[in-house]
Structures are given as C-alpha cells and as structure tokens.
Amino acid sequence: MRWLLVLVLVALLFLFLGTDAHLYVDYLWFQSERVTTVFATTLRYRAVIYVLFGGAALAWLLLNWLAARSLARRQSRGPRTLVVDQRRHPPIVTLALVVVAVVLSLVFASGASGAWQLFALFIHQQPITQTDPILHRSVAWYLFTYPVLQYLYGWVVTLLFLTLVGVVITYALYSPQFVQLEPVGAMPGQMRVSLSPPRQMLLHGAGLIALFLLIQGAAYHWLSTAGLLFAAHKTFFGADFVDTHVHLAAYDVLTAVMVFSAVAIVLAAVRESAGWALAVPIAWLSVAILGLGVIPALVQAVYVAPSELSREAPYIANNIRFTRSAFALDQITVQHPKLSPLTEQDVTNNQATIQNIRLWDWRPLQETFQQLQGLRPYYLFRDVGIDRYNGQQEMLAARQLDISRLPQAAQNWQNRHLVYTHGFGVVGTPAQGVTQQGTPEFNLHDIPPVTNNPSLRITQPRIYFTSGGANRWLLVDTKAQEFDYPTGSENASTHYTGMAGIAVGSLPRRLLFAYALGDPNLLYTSYLDASSKILIHRELSDLIHQIAPFLKLDHDPYIVISGGHLYWFQDAYTESSTYPYSTPLNSGVNYIRNSVKIIVDAYNGTVTFYRTDSPAHPEPLIQAYSKIFPGLFHPLSQMPADFRAHLRYPEDLFDAQAQTMQLYHMTDPTVFYNREDVWSLPVEQVGGTRSQLQPYYVEIRLPGEQQAEFVLIEPFVPRGKDNMIAWLAARSDPAHYGQALLYEFSKDSLIYGPQQVEARIDQDPMISSSLTLWNQQGSRVIRGNLLVIPLGKAFLYVEPLFLQASQGRIPELKRVILADSNNVTMQRTLKEALSALFSGAPPAGASNVPNTSNQPAPAAAATATPVAAPSANATMQQLARDALQHYGQAQQDLKNGDWAGYGKELAAMQRDLERLATGR
C-alpha cells in the first residue's frame, strides 16, 4: 500500500516537473517577444478554470461515491458472496474510489481549461443590437453565450453519467444483498445471479437521474430551440415554418415532460414502483416521436408543401438577411454598368491598367525563380506574392532556406542548428517584365540583393523567421560561424545581432532547453557562450498561433520590403459557426471578418497586431479579445503609412464572400426559392487542366474612378452557362481599403465568360495549330491564368502562354493571347497583341519561336514594335486555310505512319505561317 502511494507521488512529481519546465520555456519565449501579459492572462484563465472545474468535478464525484459507500456499509449484513469481504480490506476500495475520482477530475479540468477561450469571451462579451426574428435573442447571445452553454451541457451530462456508474459499482461492492447467487433446481452447482438493489441505491440513483432530466429540460428550452436556427433545409438554412410553429412548441412540451419525469423518477424510487419509472421513457418517447417526427411531417405535407413559397417566404428572407450580414455582403455596393465593345480609346484612356496587366502566372514564375535565382540547392522560393510599389505591380518571392535540400551527409546537428540559420533576400520582377527570351526581367535579384528601384532596396536581407517549411529551433550568436550566403568558391559568414531569442548560455538554461526540446546535445556542445541565444517558434503560423491561437490565419502571407527591411504581412480572421440563420461554408464557419492585420519582422521576429475595425463599425469578437488582452491589438490608424500602402484585401475572406455571393446576391425570397438567378465561379484552363478561376489581384481603374488602384477581382457566370453575368471587386489602396463593389450586368446582353474565351482560343485555327505543334516539338505548352480586365465599359481578356523544354525546367513566356468581344489574337508581346487586336493582324504562330534554351538573357524591354499587318486580307485568309490544310494532312500522315509525308506537310505549313507572320 505504501509503495503504491510512493509510486503515485513520484509519477505526479515527474509530471508536474515536465509541465513546469515547458511552462517556464513558454514564459521565456513570451518575454523575448515582449508579450508576457498575453502569457500571464492565458495562464490565469486556464488555471482558474482548471481549479474551478477540476475541484467541482472532484468534490461531486467524491461526495456521491463516498456517500454511496457509507450508506451501503450501513446496510451490510454478513460476508459477501461475489466479491472480497470489504470489512477485511476497506482502505483498498476507498483508495481506488479516490484515485479514480482524482484522475477523472483532472481529465474534466483539462478539458475545461482547453476551452478557456469560450469562457473568456463569455465574460467579456460585447453587446449587439441585432436580434434573431424567432426567439428574439441578441446575436451576441449566439456568439458568446450559446457555445458556453453547449460545452457546459456536454460537460455536466458526462459527469453525471460517470457519477451514476460509480455509484452503482460502489453499492454493488458494499451491499451484500445487491448481487447474490441462488441455487437453481435440485442439481448441485447450478446457480443464478439475483439482483436486489438496496433502497439507498434506488434513492441515490433516482436523484442523479432526476437531476439529469432537469438539465435535459433546460437544454430543450435553451439549446434545442436555438439549434433550430442552424437547421439545414432543402431550399434554405435556419428555422422554417414547421420549426417555428411545431418544433418550438414540441420543445416547450418536452421541457415540461422533463420536469414531470424528474418528479416521477423520484416517486418511483420512494414508492419502489415500477409504474412511475416506466412512465418516464413512455412520456419522453411519445412526445419526442409525435412532436418532433409525426406532427411536423403532417404539417409539412398537408399545410406547407401545397403553398410552400408563401409559407416559407418570411423565413427565407431571414436566411438571406442574416447570411448577407454574417459575410458582410450587405456592405457591398452593387452597380449595373452599361457595357460596350472594346475600342482603342478604351486602351488609351486606361494606360495605368494596361501597363500593369500581369503577364506572369505565379506557378511557372515560381519555377523560373527557382531555376534562375535559387543559386544553390538549399534555397527555396515557397511562394510568389503580388504587391505594388510606386503604382507598379511587382511579383516578389522570398529566398528561404530549406536544409532538407542539403546533401544527406551535410544534415548534421551543427549545420541544422548553428550554421544554416536563415534565408537571404527577395527576388522580384514587374508583373509585365519579360526579356526577349521570355524570362523574367528582374528588377530585384542576386545575393546580396541588387536593384535600381529605391523602393525595393534591401539593407537587412536575412530571413530568420520563415513562412512554411520545418519549424527548426536555432542557436545564434554562438562561437560557430553562421552561413550567410555563397560567394563563388567560398561562403560569407555572419552572426545574428537581432532582438529575438532566449539566452541559453548558462548551465541551468542549457539543462532546461535540453530537457524541454529533448536534445542532450545542448548540454555537450562547446559552441555556446554567455551571449548565445536560442530561437524557437520561427515559422510564421506557429509564431502567431503561440500568441493568438484564437485567430484564423489566411493561407497566403506575403513578403513586403519597407525601409530596407523585410516583413511578413499576414491577414487574420475572427470566425464563428454560431451566427443565427446564416448558411455556413463547407468548413462550418458562418461568420467571418478580417479583423486583424499582423506584421512580423523577418529578422527580429517581432509581431505587431492591428485591428481593422473602427468605433463606427466595431467587430464584436475582436472587441472581446481586446478586452481579454489589453494592449495586444493596436488600431489600424497607428500602422505606419508605408505599411498601409502594402495592405491587401485578403484572399480567404474574398473567397468566402464570392462563394456565398453565388446564391445570396438574390435578395428577393421568390427568386431565391425558385433558384432563378444562381451564379457560379467560372472555369479556366491552367496548364493542361481545367480548374476553378481563382481570385486575382490587378491594378485597374474602376468604372467611375479617376485613378487606377490595386483590387482583388472575381468574375461570375450563371450556373450551367459560361457567359459572364457579374464581377466582384475588393479595393486595397488606403483611401478605399476594405470597400467591395459588385458589378452586375444586364441579362439581355452577352458578355463572354472565361470558359467561352478559352473555347474561342481553342477554335482559332492558327492558335490551335501552333499549340499542337509546340507540344510536339520537344516542348510543353503551359497556359497561364486567364485574366478578365475591365477597361472602361468593356473587357479585355489576357492569357499568357509559356513554353517549357521537355529536358528543361524553365518556363519561358513566349506569347500573349488577347481577346475582346469580337477578336482573338496571339502575339509575342502585349503591345503587339493590342495592336493586332484592333488591326486584324494574324496570330504569331509557332514559326520562329526562340528555342527554349533555359539560359537567361540580357534584360530587354517588355514590349516590341508591333508586327505589320498583311497587305491583303484575302491573301491572309488563303494562307491561313493553306496552313490549316497542311496541318490536317500532317496529322493524317502521322496516324498512317508516313513520316516523310508528315515532315513534308509540316515544312509546307511552316512556310505558310512564316508568310503570314511577315505579311509577304
């Protein structure tokens, strides 16, 4: 017995020592980030909730189980027949009850402590004037109180169930008359088990069951009724006619039945009457089946279905109104522009847009960056971001370090934690920057970074805090030389001088981190001295999650150059799945706001949080978190002006709004019910596959505006059709940041959608034959993003075309495809394509394409002199027909295995294409 206690105490000692070590490491890290108040606040909430819930669970379990033991022992008469005589070993069972109660209470305390955010939000909830139209409860009740009640209900019911199980076991162990063996018949050895629970057990159990029934009645009244506002129906989401008029009444009746059942179960135990006990499940099931099943089905079939639209219209209106509010669709300005064909004057009037049309698709550009500017195998460009500097769109990528790309022999402890510590610099190209060979026209490149653009000049290029990749911990400012960057046959070295890191030079600190990180090498290494520091939580999402785990992060952080330093810009959201009457996304979220902008210094690791709401338009969740963590969030007005110039409307929020807008642009319940005007997101062809068109950033002049600005846009098409019906734009520049506009077109006009433009491209004989020929000449054609660019009252469609050699890995931009409502053309440059679009010049086909040598070329202008148009339109058409005929015959010869004929026809087609290209 004593040894058992000693072992338990030793195990608890090691458990708490381990927890304390990790807790102290966390404290040191929060201290290094200068956010110890966040650590203290979180710890305080978790500790208080842990003690309160753990203490309550322990007191409740021991009260019931020890009371059951005491009552049962009073009734004990004679030795036991099925279990060990407890009068000989009373401490064993008592100790077992206490140990089990302690363990279960720790589990209950841990679970409640993990839900500390629910309770903190409940305590600091903010008022919201909007109420739901059915139960007339404030929206704040659903956001702050409802989740807490749901958690408490599950917690209490689980505790009651385990209490009841323990009570039954205790009575069984201590009551000799509870379980007995009785002989059966005259044959010796034949026995049967007889159950005869004592009166105390019946009363005790009845009390617990009655308490559960009362709690269940309260759950019917508060939780089940609220749950109706999250019911999914065939046509809409939220409470419908049957929910409001039948289910609500049924839950009221069930609440009364639960009170009756609680009284009945106690009477059954007092009177030892099975009739009262049977009345409980009979009444419960009868009301549940009738009130929640039979009657609602009859009302739906007989009363609602014959006139469903008129019955459900008010509830559809509720769903529309609350969904639009939850996703801020009601804040989007709707316009109905009148469109006209694209003219040369539109191009002239929108030169800022034309000069910022993005020709580089980020996917082939990422591979090109990797091949041309990776410079060493261990450097990696994980993503390519788009931003603007001085009114020009820039494609930027951070050169990060990926030690897994080192040779296996070099991946030792010293290299992983002391030598290879940081990435270096950023690579950039203008969105239209293309050399004559089709490679990026770099205006930020090499190591150390070289640029002629003052806005892109970098004085501190080292990236110690990364986006993506392994979350390695590092030792810096040690006796070892950190690898800085390659310089030919040698390597430059450096020492970290930033503010980040925890001192780790002393023996106690080395012991602490060796234990916390599970790495004894921290004790043995001779590279540490008094100034050495350790960097942990270096990966961007992990870094932010440690400080603000309640924020949902956007999937696309991006690197920004400001004042010569590198910063990660990360958008973050406050979300909820309990906004009443709001239709959820596939993730379950039915409320979202981009409440926070986060800036992380890539060198120093400092994290700054900025609130995006305002006193005029407060966001309740971030208001509550600001109360919980005072001083953590700064108003957006305090963000430096240069940072504000690089803010972007976040993609995940925009995508959520676009997904919801497909259905909830319809505000009339009748139109909504009949699905008369459902939209879809268009499809494009990227590479060799069809995929949903993703939102994209462009620098354009919006209709009615005087200047071009940085916006995020997404077109819409009618469901089941390909023509464009609307487009959504979200503004990012400081003067109009966060404003969204929906441009909806008249349904009696045809505006080509992306898929229709793709089809027109595929149907153009010259373009189609060129694509086929390139794919058969040792190259692979990569079709970039199809961009729909608004120009005045018309649209310009832009699709870049990349070629990648089958033996190479550098996609080169070789052609630009443009289209408007009348014409499609393919030329070598954007300037040539614009000229050809209006002049009728033929596409620049597969002839005279520079070979994909995958060698960088000297930078050249992104545009070239327009190609002269052929002198006679009839001659052009005849040459095109001849080329197409030769192409068709070549394909036939190929199928027949006639290689000589195949080569002859290709040569003839090439001659025709050359004549078309030169106009001779």
Side-chain angles (χ1 to χ4, degrees):
M1 183 67 184
R2 294 174 181 174
W3 285 108
L4 179 62
L5 287 174
V6 169
L7 289 175
V8 171
L9 290 175
V10 170
L12 290 174
L13 177 63
F14 276 102
L15 174 66
F16 286 114
L17 281 177
T19 303
D20 289 344
H22 287 90
L23 195 65
Y24 185 52
V25 168
D26 287 343
Y27 168 75
L28 293 175
W29 182 81
F30 276 88
Q31 187 181 53
S32 71
E33 286 289 334
R34 296 162 183 80
V35 285
T36 51
T37 55
V38 175
F39 174 83
T41 300
T42 303
L43 185 62
R44 182 171 66 252
Y45 275 107
R46 295 181 69 101
V48 170
I49 293 171
Y50 192 96
V51 171
L52 288 178
F53 279 78
L58 179 63
W60 176 260
L61 291 171
L62 289 180
L63 175 66
N64 282 273
W65 291 353
L66 296 181
R69 185 206 62 167
S70 178
L71 292 172
R73 291 180 66 182
R74 290 180 186 179
Q75 297 295 319
S76 178
R77 298 186 300 272
R80 296 303 312 270
T81 57
L82 290 181
V83 294
V84 177
D85 186 356
Q86 301 304 322
R87 292 174 296 178
R88 295 176 56 189
H89 304 286
I92 295 178
V93 175
T94 302
L95 179 61
L97 290 174
V98 172
V99 170
V100 172
V102 169
V103 171
L104 288 177
S105 66
L106 291 177
V107 173
F108 279 106
S110 179
S113 176
W116 68 271
Q117 296 174 29
L118 295 179
F119 297 98
L121 285 174
F122 172 76
I123 294 170
H124 294 280
Q125 62 181 280
Q126 300 298 303
I128 300 176
T129 57
Q130 188 180 23
T131 60
D132 81 84
I134 305 301
L135 302 174
H136 307 292
R137 297 171 186 169
S138 169
V139 171
W141 186 89
Y142 292 93
L143 294 180
F144 298 107
T145 304
Y146 181 56
V148 171
L149 293 180
Q150 285 182 307
Y151 180 84
L152 289 176
Y153 170 73
W155 192 90
V156 170
V157 168
T158 305
L159 179 62
L160 283 176
F161 173 76
L162 293 175
T163 302
L164 182 60
V165 171
V167 164
V168 172
I169 294 174
T170 302
Y171 278 107
L173 291 173
Y174 280 95
S175 299
Q177 70 273 28
F178 182 37
V179 183
Q180 294 183 345
L181 294 177
E182 298 178 351
V184 179
M187 296 294 295
Q190 290 186 348
M191 308 291 288
R192 70 178 179 184
V193 177
S194 175
L195 298 179
S196 180
R199 181 178 178 81
Q200 289 85 350
M201 175 185 168
L202 293 176
L203 292 173
H204 196 165
L208 292 174
I209 295 174
L211 181 57
F212 162 73
L213 292 171
L214 292 175
I215 292 173
Q216 184 61 46
Y220 279 136
H221 179 72
W222 290 103
L223 301 182
S224 298
T225 54
L228 294 175
L229 275 68
F230 304 96
H233 301 287
K234 181 177 65 175
T235 309
F236 65 99
F237 190 86
D240 64 358
F241 182 92
V242 172
D243 291 330
T244 305
H245 293 85
V246 182
H247 285 141
L248 276 180
Y251 285 132
D252 289 340
V253 174
L254 280 170
T255 300
V257 168
M258 291 300 99
V259 176
F260 161 78
S261 298
V263 175
I265 205 72
V266 173
L267 288 176
V270 171
R271 298 183 179 184
E272 298 187 5
S273 169
W276 284 100
L278 289 174
V280 172
I282 292 174
W284 191 350
L285 288 174
S286 298
V287 174
I289 292 173
L290 288 174
L292 300 179
V294 177
I295 296 177
L298 288 174
V299 172
Q300 176 68 31
V302 175
Y303 186 74
V304 176
S307 305
E308 189 172 42
L309 177 56
S310 61
R311 304 279 186 248
E312 302 290 15
Y315 308 102
I316 295 175
N318 292 336
N319 175 222
I320 294 172
R321 179 160 57 94
F322 278 82
T323 300
R324 289 176 59 83
S325 174
F327 291 95
L329 303 187
D330 55 352
Q331 300 175 24
I332 296 176
T333 302
V334 180
Q335 298 185 16
H336 298 84
K338 294 183 178 181
L339 301 180
S340 59
L342 183 69
T343 65
E344 293 184 76
Q345 190 62 43
D346 291 324
V347 174
T348 302
N349 294 340
N350 292 274
Q351 280 301 300
T353 300
I354 296 298
Q355 293 169 7
N356 277 287
I357 290 177
R358 176 170 60 85
L359 298 182
W360 283 107
D361 188 318
W362 69 269
R363 281 158 287 211
L365 183 61
Q366 182 181 17
E367 182 65 28
T368 303
F369 277 176
Q370 190 65 47
Q371 295 300 315
L372 298 182
Q373 283 291 310
L375 303 182
R376 293 294 186 273
Y378 40 78
Y379 285 130
L380 181 65
F381 297 100
R382 291 195 174 93
D383 190 23
V384 177
I386 184 167
D387 200 358
R388 67 280 197 204
Y389 291 80
N390 297 329
Q392 177 176 269
Q393 285 191 100
E394 288 283 339
M395 310 291 289
L396 299 175
R399 186 185 288 106
Q400 302 189 69
L401 185 71
D402 184 0
I403 198 171
S404 67
R405 298 165 69 92
L406 280 174
Q408 192 63 37
Q411 295 189 32
N412 53 59
W413 188 88
Q414 182 175 335
N415 283 344
R416 289 183 61 82
H417 299 295
L418 288 92
V419 178
Y420 290 92
T421 57
H422 58 275
F424 204 97
V426 173
V427 172
T429 181
Q432 273 187 31
V434 187
T435 67
Q436 291 178 348
Q437 282 197 333
T439 56
E441 185 183 24
F442 294 107
N443 58 356
L444 178 59
H445 55 93
D446 295 343
I447 297 178
V450 176
T451 182
N452 292 323
N453 187 338
S455 299
L456 300 178
R457 189 164 293 124
I458 302 174
T459 57
Q460 180 50 271
R462 296 165 184 86
I463 303 173
Y464 281 84
F465 292 84
T466 69
S467 174
N471 196 16
R472 289 183 298 131
W473 54 266
L474 300 175
L475 296 169
V476 295
D477 201 9
T478 66
K479 298 176 184 177
Q481 294 290 321
E482 293 180 46
F483 167 76
D484 200 20
Y485 58 88
T487 57
S489 60
E490 298 181 355
N491 293 326
S493 60
T494 188
H495 276 281
Y496 181 72
T497 58
M499 298 185 295
I502 306 168
V504 73
S506 65
L507 180 60
R509 287 286 177 88
R510 294 170 72 167
L511 282 169
L512 172 67
F513 282 96
Y515 175 79
L517 298 175
D519 193 337
N521 288 312
L522 278 165
L523 288 175
Y524 311 143
T525 182
S526 60
Y527 288 104
L528 300 184
D529 56 27
S531 62
S532 298
K533 296 188 291 186
I534 186 169
L535 303 182
I536 58 177
H537 304 308
R538 296 189 309 110
E539 198 279 323
L540 187 64
S541 59
D542 179 53
L543 169 64
I544 296 171
H545 183 78
Q546 295 298 319
I547 302 173
F550 45 84
L551 295 176
K552 176 68 180 297
L553 303 184
D554 190 89
H555 81 282
D556 188 27
Y558 55 102
I559 198 78
V560 169
I561 304 168
S562 179
H565 286 246
L566 301 179
Y567 300 90
W568 292 107
F569 276 42
Q570 174 71 70
D571 285 285
Y573 308 100
T574 46
E575 296 179 339
S576 177
S577 58
T578 57
Y579 198 92
Y581 254 124
S582 174
T583 302
L585 303 170
N586 291 334
S587 62
V589 171
N590 70 351
Y591 170 87
I592 184 172
R593 289 293 187 275
N594 175 218
S595 301
V596 182
K597 301 285 187 179
I598 306 171
I599 313 297
V600 179
D601 190 314
Y603 184 74
N604 291 308
T606 53
V607 187
T608 310
F609 298 82
Y610 294 96
R611 285 178 54 176
T612 61
D613 66 337
S614 64
H617 300 284
E619 199 285 306
L621 290 177
I622 200 62
Q623 276 189 306
Y625 283 122
S626 296
K627 297 288 185 183
I628 298 169
F629 301 106
L632 178 62
F633 300 100
H634 306 279
L636 193 62
S637 59
Q638 294 182 7
M639 178 181 285
D642 192 47
F643 283 177
R644 295 199 68 177
H646 293 283
L647 294 182
R648 304 190 318 194
Y649 197 94
E651 292 183 54
D652 287 353
L653 172 62
F654 188 81
D655 184 63
Q657 291 176 317
Q659 294 286 346
T660 309
M661 182 67 77
Q662 296 176 70
L663 190 60
Y664 287 90
H665 69 277
M666 296 181 287
T667 56
D668 182 89
T670 301
V671 176
F672 187 96
Y673 174 83
N674 292 319
R675 297 296 195 267
E676 297 177 12
D677 190 23
V678 180
W679 296 348
S680 295
L681 298 179
V683 174
E684 65 170 341
Q685 186 166 328
V686 179
T689 61
R690 297 180 185 273
S691 60
Q692 181 177 290
L693 181 67
Q694 299 299 315
Y696 48 90
Y697 293 99
V698 290
E699 185 87 12
I700 62 171
R701 184 168 66 90
L702 291 171
E705 298 295 331
Q706 299 300 315
Q707 294 182 335
E709 55 185 296
F710 195 64
V711 299
L712 181 61
I713 67 175
E714 175 76 82
F716 294 97
V717 298
R719 179 170 294 179
K721 298 183 179 180
D722 294 326
N723 60 290
M724 191 163 60
I725 192 66
W727 62 286
L728 181 65
R731 309 170 84 171
S732 296
D733 286 354
H736 305 287
Y737 180 82
Q739 296 179 11
L741 304 100
L742 179 67
Y743 298 92
E744 192 170 351
F745 310 136
S746 172
K747 296 179 178 60
D748 58 5
S749 59
L750 173 63
I751 309 298
Y752 285 115
Q755 186 61 28
Q756 290 175 320
V757 174
E758 295 279 15
R760 291 172 60 200
I761 293 172
D762 292 335
Q763 292 166 6
D764 185 283
M766 292 300 299
I767 297 177
S768 177
S769 61
S770 296
L771 298 181
T772 303
L773 185 60
W774 281 323
N775 275 319
Q776 293 177 350
Q777 288 186 338
S779 300
R780 182 170 73 96
V781 176
I782 302 174
R783 294 170 72 160
N785 281 125
L786 177 66
L787 304 182
V788 182
I789 307 294
L791 287 180
K793 297 181 178 181
F795 288 98
L796 177 67
Y797 305 88
V798 183
E799 182 172 275
L801 208 63
F802 303 88
L803 290 186
Q804 186 175 27
S806 57
Q807 302 301 319
R809 300 182 61 185
I810 302 180
E812 297 176 352
L813 179 57
K814 292 302 185 183
R815 292 292 185 270
V816 177
I817 301 176
L818 295 186
D820 62 6
S821 59
N822 298 314
N823 303 304
V824 177
T825 188
M826 180 177 70
Q827 301 296 333
R828 289 178 175 80
T829 67
L830 177 63
K831 184 177 180 180
E832 292 178 5
L834 284 169
S835 177
L837 191 65
F838 297 107
S839 68
S847 60
N848 298 328
V849 175
N851 60 47
T852 51
S853 60
N854 291 333
Q855 298 298 320
T863 58
T865 304
V867 177
S871 57
N873 191 45
T875 302
M876 292 166 45
Q877 293 177 354
Q878 183 60 46
L879 286 172
R881 284 193 295 268
D882 290 345
L884 185 59
Q885 182 177 357
H886 289 306
Y887 170 74
Q889 184 60 47
Q891 295 299 309
Q892 187 62 42
D893 291 339
L894 181 63
K895 292 180 182 179
N896 297 333
D898 183 0
W899 296 103
Y902 176 70
K904 179 181 177 181
E905 295 298 333
L906 285 184
M909 183 181 72
Q910 182 174 354
R911 287 194 299 271
D912 290 337
L913 293 175
E914 289 174 348
R915 293 179 63 190
L916 276 172
T918 58
R920 296 195 300 269

